[in-house]
Amino acid sequence: DAGITQSPRHKVTETGTPVTLRCHQTENHRYMYWYRQDPGHGLRLIHYSYGVKDTDKGEVSDGYSVSRSKTEDFLLTLESATSSQTSVYFCAISVEGVGTQYFGPGTRLLVL
Amino acid sequence: SQQGEEDPQALSIQEGENATMNCSYKTSINNLQWYRQNSGRGLVHLILIRSNEREKHSGRLRVTLDTSKKSSSLLITASRAADTASYFCATDGAEGAQKLVFGQGTRLTINP
């Protein structure tokens, strides 16, 4: 599993509240990613990071922000959660050069 | 928009039979990868094929790549119940090997 953990693993929250999901890796990989997975849409990239404090938007970045102050941690924040953000969120790291990605176990988020 | 599109969306076969899944993509690639996802878990990397390769094997997996048709296939031989999972293709492209685009997946069910 490339030493990737996500927390929390499950979360229920209310519309309008802020939510932060954490991804932690133990192998000092430079590239980290946040995806969401929804039925009928597969896996869609939200944001990714290519180093400490270096981040970029993905396909579905609206409503999400990220931060990476340390190599090992990549945080995803929903500033004001909406029901459309109910999803399963996966963090991944990438082996530089080859591009193979290794995924965390996922976080199930329900926004009521 | 999705770069890779899998076909079929769902496949159900008997244990011991072979399973074939197809992936089509739209733009030029450097690599194409296949991933497996067991229910409720993160994606697991299976195999990577480079654009200059036509076929690659790994155990019971055989992947082909036809860059002229922008398509790939994943063959699982002698299927087992444990192969029941969703299978995704992922392609890189203009934005480089570190940024993948995933298809919507094929749901494979192996019946005992």
Side-chain angles (χ1 to χ4, degrees):
Chain A
D1 63 358
I4 305 167
T5 57
Q6 294 184 230
S7 59
R9 293 293 313 280
H10 302 270
K11 186 168 182 67
V12 180
T13 192
E14 293 186 348
T15 298
T17 61
V19 176
T20 296
L21 309 182
R22 179 181 183 241
C23 177
H24 180 79
Q25 57 144 334
T26 59
E27 299 184 0
N28 291 322
H29 291 286
R30 180 180 167 199
Y31 289 87
M32 299 184 75
Y33 307 81
W34 276 108
Y35 293 92
R36 61 177 290 174
Q37 186 175 35
D38 306 286
H41 291 281
L43 218 62
R44 293 181 291 175
L45 181 65
I46 304 171
H47 282 279
Y48 68 102
S49 170
Y50 46 96
V52 173
K53 298 185 179 179
D54 291 324
T55 65
D56 205 352
K57 296 179 179 180
E59 180 186 0
V60 290
S61 60
D62 287 348
Y64 301 95
S65 63
V66 290
S67 65
R68 193 165 177 204
S69 58
K70 299 184 291 184
T71 299
E72 58 266 36
D73 289 325
F74 192 31
L75 304 180
L76 176 71
T77 297
L78 290 64
E79 302 290 348
S80 178
T82 67
S83 59
S84 65
Q85 294 175 311
T86 291
S87 187
V88 181
Y89 291 85
F90 288 100
C91 172
I93 61 91
S94 177
V95 176
E96 189 162 357
V98 175
T100 301
Q101 294 191 9
Y102 296 88
F103 286 78
T107 294
R108 293 187 174 273
L109 176 66
L110 174 61
V111 183
L112 300 175
Chain B
S1 62
Q2 296 292 337
Q3 164 77 310
E5 297 291 341
E6 285 92 344
D7 171 61
Q9 292 188 356
L11 178 62
S12 181
I13 61 174
Q14 295 300 120
E15 195 166 17
E17 294 180 340
N18 296 339
T20 299
M21 289 157 275
N22 302 296
C23 170
S24 60
Y25 57 92
K26 298 176 182 176
T27 63
S28 296
I29 62 170
N30 299 300
N31 305 307
L32 183 144
Q33 304 181 43
W34 286 91
Y35 289 78
R36 182 187 73 230
Q37 184 181 34
N38 292 95
S39 182
R41 307 288 291 273
L43 277 70
V44 174
H45 178 257
L46 293 176
I47 195 166
L48 178 152
I49 186 165
R50 301 185 189 280
S51 60
N52 61 355
E53 298 176 309
R54 292 296 169 260
E55 188 170 312
K56 199 163 183 179
H57 297 253
S58 177
R60 294 184 295 111
L61 305 181
R62 181 173 78 104
V63 170
T64 63
L65 179 64
D66 187 334
T67 53
S68 67
K69 295 181 179 179
K70 292 186 170 60
S71 67
S72 174
S73 67
L74 171 67
L75 169 67
I76 303 173
T77 60
S79 64
R80 306 168 180 169
D83 295 328
T84 293
S86 292
Y87 292 82
F88 296 85
C89 67
T91 53
D92 61 8
E95 297 195 61
Q98 303 302 143
K99 197 171 177 184
L100 300 180
V101 178
F102 289 82
Q104 295 185 24
T106 293
R107 175 66 188 170
L108 175 65
T109 302
I110 308 299
N111 301 302

